[in-house]
């Protein structure tokens, strides 16, 4: 049995892949896993992490929430407000300022989409870099188990509000001249193209999530697994003592909404791509024209569907992030580690101020008409 005074905890402060880290734990403790309690601070920080402020800091979460609230607000307001009309008598009967308000919201929504698309793009790139380093055993620095799951949720959460404009371009449509029709169509294609790029980037976080949730576990008593159930329970007890663990129901809810949300976005995107291909190649065919009429007829119902489902998925991901963040914070406090998510960094401030142009655009449009 190893002497506790000879255990070198510094060798367990960081990890690359899980299997090699378990091997390091066995080597340092001389195969006496119960001695992990001596290195509680290092082992628990390496496995569960102590947060990553550029992923789950307060400012980042505020940015995620603001993006989804603004997306829902603009979509709902533009859907509810009556559309512009060339009929003068009808316009005169309208509520005062309704045309002006709709114009402000339309420009604000367009500005929001441009800001949100680049926030989403940067988040997806960062997610791919961090998750690939973890998945391929390069480094797990700043990416404990909870942080990895938060990253999966963030990847989906930042993509959801883009679906309003990308899939429902009619929200930004108004009466335009014949010369402006081509420009409006080009703008719609550009918006969907940028959304498609972000969607493609989410495929790796989605792949990482599916492997993490449904892939073969390295914990168990079977052949080829890194650590037995008994030994893992000892480590888990050391790190999560006096901590409210995440229940099985909570884990099932996280998995269900995370996977369902990603699949919903992917199905919508693929259907839109197929439709654009058919419309471009067979625009004059009766089949395509029939589909077009059907799309127009279900347009309002489709908008309502998005206004119901997208907030549900968004709220579920926000809850997932907050629940995992609280669990991670409790473990950090329990093991004497610093909770890094409480720190404010450059990225957190940028994630909030990225939507400042939306307010500026709305104010300018309202003042100048």
């Amino acid at each position: 049995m190893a002497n506790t005074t000879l255990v070198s905890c510094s060798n367990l402060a960081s990890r690359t892949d899980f299997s090699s880290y378990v091997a390091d734990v066995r080597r340092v403790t001389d195969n006496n896993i119960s001695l992990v309690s001596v290195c509680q601070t290092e082992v628990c920080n390496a496995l569960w992490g102590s947060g990553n402020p550029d992923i789950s800091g307060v400012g980042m979460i505020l940015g995620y929430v603001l993006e989804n609230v603004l997306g829902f607000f603009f979509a709902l307001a533009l859907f509810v407000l009556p559309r512009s009309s060339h009929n003068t008598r009808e316009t005169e009967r309208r509520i005062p300022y309704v045309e002006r308000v709709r114009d402000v919201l339309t420009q604000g929504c367009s500005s929001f989409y441009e800001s949100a698309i680049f926030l989403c793009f940067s988040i997806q790139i960062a997610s791919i870099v961090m998750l690939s380093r973890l998945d391929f055993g390069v480094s797990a620095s700043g990416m404990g188990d909870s942080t990895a799951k938060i990253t999966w949720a963030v990847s989906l959460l930042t993509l959801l509000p883009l679906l309003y404009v990308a899939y429902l371009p009619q929200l930004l449509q108004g009466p335009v001249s014949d010369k402006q029709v081509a420009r409006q169509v080009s703008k719609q294609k550009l918006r969907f193209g940028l959304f498609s790029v972000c969607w493609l980037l989410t495929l790796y976080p989605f792949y990482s999530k599916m492997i993490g949730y449904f892939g073969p576990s390295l914990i168990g008593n079977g052949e080829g697994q890194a650590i037995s159930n008994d030994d893992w329970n000892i480590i888990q007890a050391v790190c999560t003592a006096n901590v409210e663990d995440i229940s099985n129901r909570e884990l099932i809810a996280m998995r269900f909404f995370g996977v369902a949300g990603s699949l919903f976005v992917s199905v919508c995107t693929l259907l839109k791509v197929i439709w654009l291909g058919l419309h471009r190649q067979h625009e004059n065919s009766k089949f395509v024209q029939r589909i077009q009429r059907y799309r127009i007829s279900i347009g309002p119902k489709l908008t309502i569907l998005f206004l119901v489902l997208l907030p549900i998925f968004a709220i579920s991901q926000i809850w997932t992030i907050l629940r995992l963040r609280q669990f991670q914070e409790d473990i950090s406090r329990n093991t004497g580690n610093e909770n890094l998510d409480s720190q404010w960094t450059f990225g957190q401030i940028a994630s909030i101020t990225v939507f400042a142009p939306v307010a500026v655009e709305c104010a300018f449009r309202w003042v100048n008409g």
Side-chain angles (χ1 to χ4, degrees), residues 13-210:
S14 62
R15 68 182 177 97
T16 52
D17 65 284
F18 184 76
S19 297
S20 62
Y21 186 75
V22 171
D24 289 339
V25 171
R26 294 189 183 282
R27 176 177 53 79
V28 170
T29 61
D30 194 20
N31 285 319
N32 186 1
I33 296 296
S34 62
L35 292 179
V36 162
S37 58
V38 179
C39 304
Q40 182 193 51
T41 300
E42 291 79 8
V43 171
C44 299
N45 183 61
L47 290 174
W48 278 273
S50 55
N52 188 323
D54 288 326
I55 297 175
S56 51
V58 176
M60 299 304 296
I61 294 176
L62 288 176
Y64 307 147
V65 173
L66 183 60
E67 180 192 8
N68 281 271
V69 169
L70 286 175
F72 176 76
F73 167 74
F74 281 120
L76 178 63
L78 290 171
F79 176 68
V80 172
L81 283 176
R83 296 187 177 277
S84 301
S85 172
H86 291 294
N87 189 318
T88 305
R89 291 184 178 180
E90 180 184 344
T91 303
E92 290 175 351
R93 292 197 300 268
R94 295 256 177 118
I95 302 173
Y97 298 114
V98 70
E99 296 296 334
R100 189 177 182 184
V101 170
R102 184 172 182 84
D103 178 65
V104 169
L105 291 175
T106 300
Q107 296 303 318
C109 185
S110 179
S111 178
F112 157 76
Y113 189 80
E114 293 169 359
S115 298
I117 201 78
F118 288 109
L119 173 66
C120 181
F121 179 82
S122 61
I123 291 295
Q124 303 309 327
I125 294 295
S127 298
I128 291 173
V129 172
M130 298 299 291
L131 288 172
S132 61
R133 285 165 58 87
L134 176 67
D135 295 339
F136 293 101
V138 176
S139 174
S141 177
M143 287 295 288
D145 178 71
S146 296
T147 307
K149 292 176 180 177
I150 289 174
T151 305
W152 298 339
V154 166
S155 176
L156 173 61
L157 183 61
T158 54
L159 185 69
L160 288 172
L162 301 180
L163 210 59
Y164 292 115
V165 177
Y167 208 83
L168 304 171
Q170 65 270 20
L171 292 176
L172 298 181
Q173 289 178 351
V176 295
S177 64
D178 293 338
K179 294 181 180 179
Q180 294 175 314
V181 171
R183 183 176 182 277
Q184 192 177 71
V185 171
S186 298
K187 192 74 172 179
Q188 292 174 4
K189 291 180 179 179
L190 175 62
R191 292 189 183 112
F192 184 73
L194 292 173
F195 168 81
S196 298
V197 171
C198 290
W199 170 73
L200 287 172
L201 292 175
T202 64
L203 293 182
Y204 182 78
F206 176 68
Y207 164 79
S208 176
K209 174 167 56 180
M210 296 301 287

